[in-house]
Amino acid sequence: MTADTLPIEIQQTTSPRLSEVDFTNLVFGRNISDHMFVAEYRDGQWQNLRIIPYADMALSPATAALHYGQAIFEGMKAYKNEAGEVLTFRPRDNWARFNRSAERMCMPTVPEEIFMSGLNELLRLDAGWVPSQPGSSLYIRPYMFASDAYLGVRPSDSYIFIIFTGPVGNYYANPPKVKVETEYIRAAEGGVGAAKCAGNYAASLYPTRLAQQQGYDQLIWTDARDHAFIEESGTMNVMFVIDGKLITPAVSDTILDGITRRSIVEIARHWGVPVEERRVAIKEVIDAIKEGRLEAAFGAGTAVVVSPFAVIGYEGTNYELPAIKEDSFVSRVKDFLTDIRTGKTEDVFGWTQKIQ
Ligand SMILES: *Cc1c(COP(=O)(O)O)cnc(C)c1O
């Protein structure tokens, strides 16, 4: 089945909301575009593919996802190039990861044609919602949840897959202060840390709130066994520049395989910057800070792109990190990624896709 033959019914909104949006002051997650793509899985098949006006849905109070958490999501972004064309960034990687999450949660996979055609048609229809201001983009949220109205604990028979979008600005206004968490955990070996499943984020809220009460913005998670190795930070992978090398925890079943992380690793290799993907001990990072060998510690993810940390708190001590210089790896990689995504620089990796 090709994109042209996939039957997607399109119902356009009669009350567009685009003119109500203040594009000069975009707050992450507040504005949602006019339309959404919806597909339903029933009787072993994806069906009823449609684009409809973004609106509330009626669900049974017994909807399985609301009770037992069979729910997964993705996060990706679209940008406008100078010609006003809409570009997506590595969407196939998001699709592939979505299906890995689906398998871990006993959910059906979404065929590439459905994911890509739904995305393409939706972005074509809501292209006017893609911002062109520097630092802004259209955030894209594909997700799926179990929709059986049934209270037994078992994989649902029916599912709903939706994509909606919304224009966003920068995620953090200021470089975040992060606390190394040594009591609570995000993921354990054999668990679901590598899946982008809803429950992982619910579980992170309480420890994050405790850290915020102590004056931090976000956590750095450590391994469940010893709390000695660095894993992730919120919805970001964590990377360090130490002794001129890019060092980042290797992906595992407790660390999400981030597409921003992967892209930065590939760019670093392309530039000839040494890269180490391995376990990273907190002690190694703290020692490097104390000895002045740490150039930067930063989070990497679709929402933030690249977010250098201002402070790392560990066992009650706050370590101030050096300011990021304009010619540093972090600044250069952030600009380069942004330039590829917005079509300003040649996409030597073939990562961007134009919406046709
Ligand atoms: C989404 C996410 C990331 C970042 O992945 P990207 O593909 O770069 O957006 C990292 N860690 C967690 C826990 C995430 O949910």
Side-chain angles (χ1 to χ4, degrees), residues 171-216:
Y171 197 78
Y172 291 112
N174 295 307
K177 297 181 183 163
V178 295
K179 174 191 158 189
V180 177
E181 176 60 59
T182 51
E183 185 182 351
Y184 297 95
I185 60 161
R186 189 189 88 88
E189 282 167 39
V192 295
K196 236 171 151 74
C197 60
N200 281 344
Y201 305 86
S204 74
L205 297 177
Y206 180 71
T208 306
R209 178 193 276 168
L210 294 182
Q212 284 166 350
Q213 286 167 352
Q214 297 161 5
Y216 299 97

Side-chain angles (χ1 to χ4, degrees), residues 73-76 94 97 139 186 193 195-197 200-201 221 232-238 254-263 300-305 341:
F73 67 95
E74 269 303 321
M76 49 210 287
N94 290 92
R97 185 173 67 192
Y139 187 79
R186 189 189 88 88
K196 236 171 151 74
C197 60
N200 281 344
Y201 305 86
W221 298 104
E232 293 200 65
S233 177
T235 57
M236 305 179 285
N237 293 107
V238 185
T254 62
I255 297 182
L256 196 99
D257 185 359
I259 293 157
T260 315
R261 173 194 176 285
R262 192 188 300 170
S263 304
T302 294
V304 297
V305 189
R341 288 168 143 164

Side-chain angles (χ1 to χ4, degrees), residues 257-320:
D257 185 359
I259 293 157
T260 315
R261 173 194 176 285
R262 192 188 300 170
S263 304
I264 292 171
V265 163
E266 288 170 37
I267 292 168
R269 295 216 165 99
H270 177 71
W271 286 348
V273 173
V275 179
E276 293 180 6
E277 298 182 76
R278 55 169 170 81
R279 297 188 90 186
V280 181
I282 303 151
K283 187 172 177 307
E284 172 183 354
V285 172
I286 300 297
D287 286 350
I289 298 173
K290 286 184 184 160
E291 293 160 15
R293 293 183 293 109
L294 182 137
E295 182 182 306
F298 60 100
T302 294
V304 297
V305 189
V306 171
S307 174
F309 303 144
V311 168
I312 294 182
Y314 178 55
E315 290 183 336
T317 305
N318 283 338
Y319 298 89
E320 299 259 348

Side-chain angles (χ1 to χ4, degrees), residues 55-320:
D56 291 351
M57 298 183 286
L59 292 174
S60 161
T63 297
L66 300 178
H67 298 268
Y68 310 121
Q70 250 191 317
I72 59 171
F73 67 95
E74 269 303 321
M76 49 210 287
K77 279 179 171 175
Y79 298 79
K80 256 189 194 152
N81 66 13
E82 271 182 357
E85 296 166 311
V86 176
L87 304 176
T88 53
F89 184 75
R90 308 189 81 168
R92 267 193 182 72
D93 292 29
N94 290 92
W95 162 74
R97 185 173 67 192
F98 191 72
N99 281 344
R100 291 200 299 276
S101 298
E103 270 165 23
R104 180 63 181 84
M105 305 307 286
C106 260
M107 301 167 88
T109 54
V110 175
E112 183 172 357
E113 299 78 7
I114 294 182
F115 192 100
M116 292 303 164
S117 321
L119 180 65
N120 205 69
E121 291 297 317
L122 182 65
L123 292 186
R124 189 163 25 184
L125 195 58
D126 281 338
W129 287 80
V130 184
S132 44
Q133 291 84 350
S136 304
S137 56
L138 188 78
Y139 187 79
I140 303 166
R141 170 51 56 88
Y143 66 110
M144 180 186 0
F145 61 92
S147 55
D148 277 9
Y150 175 74
L151 276 189
V153 178
R154 58 138 172 81
S156 181
D157 288 328
S158 62
Y159 295 85
I160 299 179
F161 171 65
I162 296 179
I163 309 177
F164 67 75
T165 72
V168 298
N170 285 328
Y171 197 78
Y172 291 112
N174 295 307
K177 297 181 183 163
V178 295
K179 174 191 158 189
V180 177
E181 176 60 59
T182 51
E183 185 182 351
Y184 297 95
I185 60 161
R186 189 189 88 88
E189 282 167 39
V192 295
K196 236 171 151 74
C197 60
N200 281 344
Y201 305 86
S204 74
L205 297 177
Y206 180 71
T208 306
R209 178 193 276 168
L210 294 182
Q212 284 166 350
Q213 286 167 352
Q214 297 161 5
Y216 299 97
D217 301 298
Q218 191 50 268
L219 294 177
I220 288 186
W221 298 104
T222 54
D223 70 285
R225 199 178 304 220
D226 303 317
H227 298 300
F229 296 94
I230 286 174
E231 301 233 307
E232 293 200 65
S233 177
T235 57
M236 305 179 285
N237 293 107
V238 185
M239 311 185 100
F240 303 92
V241 180
I242 299 175
D243 294 331
K245 290 182 287 195
L246 178 67
I247 300 174
T248 187
V251 292
S252 66
D253 66 350
T254 62
I255 297 182
L256 196 99
D257 185 359
I259 293 157
T260 315
R261 173 194 176 285
R262 192 188 300 170
S263 304
I264 292 171
V265 163
E266 288 170 37
I267 292 168
R269 295 216 165 99
H270 177 71
W271 286 348
V273 173
V275 179
E276 293 180 6
E277 298 182 76
R278 55 169 170 81
R279 297 188 90 186
V280 181
I282 303 151
K283 187 172 177 307
E284 172 183 354
V285 172
I286 300 297
D287 286 350
I289 298 173
K290 286 184 184 160
E291 293 160 15
R293 293 183 293 109
L294 182 137
E295 182 182 306
F298 60 100
T302 294
V304 297
V305 189
V306 171
S307 174
F309 303 144
V311 168
I312 294 182
Y314 178 55
E315 290 183 336
T317 305
N318 283 338
Y319 298 89
E320 299 259 348

